[in-house]
């Protein structure tokens, strides 16, 4: 199995490496909205002194850490996989004795992520020089605590995106369905604003959803803002959602593959 | 007159193509409603924490959101579908047929495809602008509302011209598929007044990719932040950028030599 992953990695890494110019545009595209939110909230914090106890520096560090967390927990499965169902190229992958999505697509996504991180690092340093964040609240303990949360976040996001992508077996409108999913992340993951500033109702719903594990919880752990009970709650909800996402994914995938009849067959 | 006839014909063709996909209409309306709800929630969160953003009140930001939606609709209905078609036409040579037609090639390339269902956002934008102007209330006069509409039109012309320049580059470098990604990426910056951004970002969105001219400037006209001279300057900028863009298009077209030769 390890050998399979090694080979898949070599192929997918080489494939992703071809599209360096596109990658640069992608990163640029993806960077703009966090930077806009950063600018909006620091300007509000500067004008009013602070926003619900958060200073301008808190917002700057929040969004600087968010850039990394978002990059680590997000995925591009939809773009890697949905077209294969629609044009029938999935057939050749289905006859292999390995799970197409959990091996090939997974390594391709990780290759893409690795390359992204390589591009992002210098850009991140330039941004840090421009915004001058003070990372005094960040501790090694916080970072160590956040690593399992980021892994769990990536796993849950991967399985849920995989489930939505598998809907391509039934409909050609997966991109629209995924747009709803993306809006949920925007709302409940703390991308627009730290969840703390959201209306009470949304905060309470977010506690029972997996999305805050993608960005908000890891960022708060790195910043050292959570009590140990809050951390436990976050991890428990995350573990429960991981099981739910796994069951859901396996169920939809199986039903989908049964329905699949390649184009032209 | 001739151009109006042409536009209405192209419009009819595109409506016919669109009604073949009626479910898409429902899906698009639902997505648009969702994003509208999201945008209003975002604004209300911002204004529950502050009185003004970059010196602007809630009503002015609603009007800004309306203009942003107009520019966004322009991207979705016009820029993306036509760019996609154009990039393909350059690569496979079907651009030949467009040039053969006895109409301005720039016009045909930029108006032949319309993503009809996305136009639904325009009435929403109009409602947002009307409510926004009403809530901004005391700062508006009939003249400032006239300036607002003039400057909105100017902004659309500037974005259109920039788009022409970007796709004209495809004549020089055949493989230039990312020609409008840059524009789309920075578009989001148009949701908020430029004054909240750090100076380097202000320079980018004002001078390099002038999203701010299309969004912030009309609202500044509405607030009477601009002198009459400045308003005429922006009208001048719009006309000049259109002339420059069409010259670049003509020069680029001379470079085109078909796909096989």
């Amino acid at each position: 199995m390890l050998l399979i992953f090694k080979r898949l990695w070599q192929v997918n890494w080489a494939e992703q490496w071809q599209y360096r110019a596109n990658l640069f545009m992608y990163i640029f595209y993806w960077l703009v909205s966090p930077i806009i939110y950063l600018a909006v909230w620091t300007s509000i914090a500067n004008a009013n002194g602070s926003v619900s106890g958060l200073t301008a520096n808190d917002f700057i560090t929040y969004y600087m850490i968010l850039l990394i967390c978002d990059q680590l927990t997000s995925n591009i499965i939809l773009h890697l996989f949905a077209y294969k169902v629609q044009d029938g190229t999935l057939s050749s992958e289905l006859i292999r004795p390995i799970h197409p999505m959990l091996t090939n697509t997974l390594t391709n996504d990780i290759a893409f992520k690795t390359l992204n991180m390589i591009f992002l690092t210098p850009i991140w340093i330039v941004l840090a020089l421009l915004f001058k964040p003070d990372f005094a609240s960040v501790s090694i303990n916080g970072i160590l605590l956040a690593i399992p949360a980021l892994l769990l976040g990536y796993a849950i996001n991967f399985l849920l995106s995989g489930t939505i992508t598998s809907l391509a077996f039934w409909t050609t409108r997966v991109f629209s369905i995924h747009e709803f999913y993306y809006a949920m992340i925007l709302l409940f993951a703390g991308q627009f604003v730290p969840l703390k500033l959201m209306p009470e109702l949304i905060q309470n719903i977010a506690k029972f959803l997996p999305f805050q594990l993608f960005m908000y919880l890891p960022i708060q752990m790195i910043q050292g803002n959570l009590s140990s009970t809050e951390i436990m709650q976050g991890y428990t909800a995350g573990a429960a959602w991981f099981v739910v996402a796994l069951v859901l994914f396996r169920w939809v995938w199986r039903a989908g593959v049964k329905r699949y009849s390649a184009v032209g067959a | 007159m001739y151009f109006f006839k042409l536009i209405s014909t192209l419009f009819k063709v595109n409506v016919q193509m669109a009604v073949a996909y009626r479910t898409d209409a429902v899906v698009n309306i639902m997505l648009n409603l969702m994003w509208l709800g999201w945008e209003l929630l975002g604004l209300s969160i911002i204004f529950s924490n502050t009185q003004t953003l970059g010196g602007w009140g809630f009503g002015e930001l609603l009007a800004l959101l309306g203009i942003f939606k107009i520019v966004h609709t322009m991207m979705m209905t016009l820029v993306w579908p036509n760019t996609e078609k154009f990039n393909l036409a350059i690569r496979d040579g079907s651009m030949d047929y467009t040039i053969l037609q006895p109409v301005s090639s720039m016009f045909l390339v930029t108006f032949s495809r319309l993503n009809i269902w996305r136009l639904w956002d325009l009435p929403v934008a109009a409602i947002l602008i009307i409510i926004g102007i009403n809530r901004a209330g005391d700062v508006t006069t009939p003249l400032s509302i006239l300036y607002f509409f003039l400057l909105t039109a100017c902004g659309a012309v500037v974005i259109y011209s920039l788009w022409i320049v970007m796709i004209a580059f495809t004549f020089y470098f055949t493989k230039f598929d990312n020609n409008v990604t840059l524009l789309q990426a920075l578009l989001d910056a148009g949701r908020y007044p430029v004054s909240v951004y750090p100076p380097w970002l202000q320079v980018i969105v004002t001078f390099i990719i002038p999203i701010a001219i299309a969004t912030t400037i009309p609202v500044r006209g509405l607030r009477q932040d601009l002198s009459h001279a400045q308003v005429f300057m922006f009208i001048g900028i719009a006309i000049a950028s259109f002339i420059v863009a069409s010259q670049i298009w003509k020069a680029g077209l001379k470079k085109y030599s078909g796909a096989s030769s």
Side-chain angles (χ1 to χ4, degrees), chain A residues 59-70:
Chain A
F59 283 110
I60 295 176
T61 49
Y62 182 88
Y63 286 104
M64 288 303 285
I65 301 172
L66 182 136
L67 285 178
I68 298 170
C69 292
D70 185 18

Side-chain angles (χ1 to χ4, degrees), chain A residues 22 36 48 173 179-180 187, chain B residues 24 34-35 38 49-50 178:
Chain A
N22 275 331
I36 288 170
N48 300 342
R173 293 194 181 82
E179 215 171 311
F180 282 105
L187 189 60
Chain B
D24 279 351
M34 178 190 76
W35 287 120
W38 166 245
N49 286 297
T50 183
N178 280 316

